Amino acid sequence: MGRTREAGCVAAGVVIGAGACYCVYRLTWGRDNEIIWNEDNDEEEESRNISETGKGAKANAGAGAGARLQGDSKAKAEVAVELKSGPDVKAEAHSKAESGGGLEAKAKALFSILKEQASAKASKAAKLGSIFGTRAHAPGLPCPGVRGGGCHPVRNGARTGSKASGKSKGRTRNKSTRTPALLWPVRKGKFNFPYKIDDILGATDLQKVLNILERSNDPFIQEVALVTLGNNAAYSFNQNAIRELGGLPIIAKLIKTKDPIIREKAYNVLNNLSVNSENQGKIKTYISQVCDDTMICRLDSAVQMAGLRLLTNMTVTNHYQHLLSYSFPDFFALLFLGNYFTKIQIMKLIINFTENPAMTRELVSCKVPSELISLFNKEWDREILLNILTLFENINDNIKNEGLASSRKEFSRSSLFFLFKESGVCVKKIKALANHSDLVVKVKVLKVLTKL
């Protein structure tokens, strides 16, 4: 009985030592996790082995305490083998415990060993923190998904808060899987444009911008230069300056490029410049090219809208309308096919032609789709209805003034003349709009009906 009791005491000492190990592990684990950014896998394995060995020792101690029939020597051998098979920490604790007597001595020995290990781990963590804590993004590198940079620098030291707790619960991530900041895509050789796009420039600076635009083939530089010129062309004094500096041919050359963004920006610059009557005399050289490009480019695209705006400005006066008379059928087809904004812009363009009586015969003789009658529908909003009513009113007035009603035989059944004048469908549609809920539309309808 004496030897069995001694074996039970040894097993109980191991259990208490394992409990002390677990307490120290719990105390040091949280602190180490706050300090260390990326712990090595071998350290985590070591902590896991300590706790698992403690549980194994408890199970074997219970088995040794109940093994009376197998002999006292066999129980002592099992306990000794279990202690030797564990990590070096427990073997060292066991050897110190045997030299000193009692459970208290064994627990103190194990606690001192684990305390030394925890301090060594803390010093290693401080070293890692000093190495990795100073990592930061290189200046000027943009964050993925963030425009113009503005990255938050990496914090010095360790990760804290929810990131640390999330890291401890999940699987350890290897350092090699971290994407370095230097691998982010950066525009190489970015050109530092000498002016801001909203700066109001003088003649000297405008000349420099035109020189940059003429010599560069970089789409980014061309776009910035065109936007700068377009903003400056909104002012009347710069409209003359750009023309006098020879800027119109340089800008117009870019409407031939295949890049839709560059074409759109070039049209916008010419659109602002076309407000000046002297500039219109220079731009008329390119008006046919702009018209053709506007008709064949992608429907409802930004390039098409920019081209239509330029053509609308160029046809405000009667001087250059005859240059576009061959495109009347295309304009009406686009009026039918385009979206809401395209319809608005193309109607403004056609209204410019209807205000010139000299263009009436060519306008009403062109072939138009019969579906245009659907524009006289109360489902459309005010702007669409007012524009189509104005277009009808101007054509009806010009037909009367030019005496074209008597020569109706020369117009085909697919012509605009037949649709607006002879079919009578438009008049019925307009009369149906007399009860429109919008007062402005109702007044416009009554005005048109009084002229019939």
Side-chain angles (χ1 to χ4, degrees):
M1 276 306 282
R3 293 181 179 180
T4 304
R5 185 177 302 170
E6 184 180 355
C9 291
V10 172
V14 174
V15 172
I16 294 174
C21 172
Y22 179 75
C23 292
V24 175
Y25 168 73
R26 290 294 296 173
L27 289 173
T28 58
W29 173 80
R31 181 174 54 191
D32 293 342
N33 200 36
E34 288 181 359
I35 296 175
I36 298 175
W37 182 11
N38 251 339
E39 242 182 354
D40 294 335
N41 294 332
D42 55 349
E43 293 175 357
E44 294 183 358
E45 293 293 337
E46 184 178 356
S47 299
R48 191 180 297 110
N49 289 336
I50 291 175
S51 61
E52 290 176 359
T53 307
K55 295 178 181 179
K58 184 186 292 185
N60 289 330
R68 293 183 180 181
L69 297 177
Q70 295 179 1
D72 299 335
S73 60
K74 187 174 182 180
K76 285 185 178 181
E78 287 179 357
V79 174
V81 169
E82 187 64 30
L83 290 173
K84 290 180 181 179
S85 62
D88 295 337
V89 176
K90 297 224 170 171
E92 185 177 356
H94 178 64
S95 62
K96 287 188 178 182
E98 288 180 351
S99 61
L103 297 176
E104 184 178 359
K106 295 176 182 180
K108 285 183 178 180
L110 183 60
F111 182 79
S112 62
I113 295 299
L114 294 175
K115 187 175 181 181
E116 291 175 2
Q117 182 186 9
S119 61
K121 187 184 294 185
S123 62
K124 185 175 180 180
K127 185 177 180 181
L128 288 174
S130 63
I131 295 174
F132 296 104
T134 56
R135 286 184 66 182
H137 297 300
L141 287 178
C143 279
V146 180
R147 196 172 181 182
C151 297
H152 296 291
V154 177
R155 296 172 181 170
N156 291 333
R159 292 184 177 179
T160 58
S162 61
K163 291 186 178 180
S165 61
K167 180 180 174 62
S168 63
K169 293 180 182 179
R171 187 170 53 186
T172 304
R173 184 170 59 181
N174 193 4
K175 294 179 185 178
S176 61
T177 61
R178 186 182 300 277
T179 304
L182 294 177
L183 295 181
W184 292 344
V186 181
R187 184 182 179 91
K188 296 182 179 180
K190 184 177 180 180
F191 179 79
N192 293 323
F193 200 72
Y195 310 101
K196 294 182 180 179
I197 59 176
D198 54 352
D199 286 344
I200 302 175
L201 307 179
T204 304
D205 295 326
L206 286 174
Q207 183 67 69
K208 292 179 181 179
V209 175
L210 289 171
N211 291 339
I212 293 172
L213 182 62
E214 185 177 18
R215 296 173 184 175
S216 177
N217 293 323
D218 187 351
F220 174 77
I221 300 174
Q222 291 175 343
E223 181 181 357
V224 176
L226 287 172
V227 173
T228 304
L229 291 172
N231 291 338
N232 278 268
Y235 300 94
S236 57
F237 55 87
N238 277 336
Q239 293 168 2
N240 292 321
I242 293 174
R243 182 188 69 253
E244 293 169 358
L245 292 172
L248 286 173
I250 297 174
I251 299 167
K253 182 180 178 181
L254 294 176
I255 66 178
K256 299 179 181 179
T257 184
K258 295 181 179 180
D259 191 334
I261 296 177
I262 301 302
R263 293 213 315 273
E264 177 197 354
K265 305 304 180 186
Y267 285 152
N268 289 338
V269 181
L270 294 177
N271 183 33
N272 288 345
L273 292 173
S274 65
V275 177
N276 186 295
S277 59
E278 295 184 30
N279 287 342
Q280 282 190 358
K282 301 289 184 180
I283 298 175
K284 70 175 183 180
T285 308
Y286 316 102
I287 193 171
S288 298
Q289 181 182 347
V290 173
C291 183
D292 294 341
D293 183 41
T294 302
M295 293 300 108
I296 64 175
C297 70
R298 186 168 60 86
L299 183 65
D300 302 327
S301 62
V303 178
Q304 188 172 70
M305 290 298 297
L308 288 175
R309 285 193 295 267
L310 176 57
L311 295 178
T312 303
N313 272 357
M314 289 294 294
T315 55
V316 169
T317 61
N318 301 338
H319 303 300
Y320 313 110
Q321 290 181 356
H322 63 281
L323 298 175
L324 299 176
S325 59
Y326 69 95
S327 296
F328 285 160
D330 297 329
F331 292 153
F332 283 103
L334 191 60
L335 176 60
F336 169 67
L337 296 173
N339 62 11
Y340 173 83
F341 300 102
T342 303
K343 280 180 167 61
I344 294 293
Q345 195 61 50
I346 201 72
M347 279 193 285
K348 291 179 180 179
L349 174 60
I350 297 175
I351 287 173
N352 286 345
F353 293 106
T354 62
E355 292 176 349
N356 182 7
M359 301 298 298
T360 303
R361 184 178 291 274
E362 294 181 61
L363 190 63
V364 299
S365 62
C366 71
K367 295 182 179 181
V368 296
S370 59
E371 290 82 2
L372 283 179
I373 203 69
S374 62
L375 294 175
F376 296 92
N377 194 318
K378 63 180 180 180
E379 300 299 329
W380 293 104
D381 69 349
R382 175 193 292 183
E383 192 169 7
I384 289 282
L385 291 176
L386 291 178
N387 279 308
I388 193 65
L389 288 171
T390 301
L391 194 151
F392 178 86
E393 180 185 10
N394 290 347
I395 289 179
N396 188 67
D397 291 343
N398 290 337
I399 289 175
K400 289 182 178 180
N401 296 334
E402 296 295 318
L404 297 178
S406 59
S407 57
R408 61 175 59 92
K409 293 182 179 180
E410 63 181 87
F411 302 111
S412 65
R413 294 181 63 87
S414 60
S415 64
L416 181 64
F417 178 88
F418 183 85
L419 182 66
F420 276 11
K421 188 69 177 177
E422 293 297 313
S423 65
V425 180
C426 283
V427 178
K428 293 180 181 179
K429 290 282 188 179
I430 294 173
K431 288 180 179 179
L433 294 174
N435 296 324
H436 198 275
S437 58
D438 192 295
L439 181 61
V440 179
V441 175
K442 187 183 296 186
V443 171
K444 185 68 174 179
V445 169
L446 295 177
K447 181 183 176 182
V448 173
L449 292 176
T450 56
K451 292 184 177 181
L452 295 178

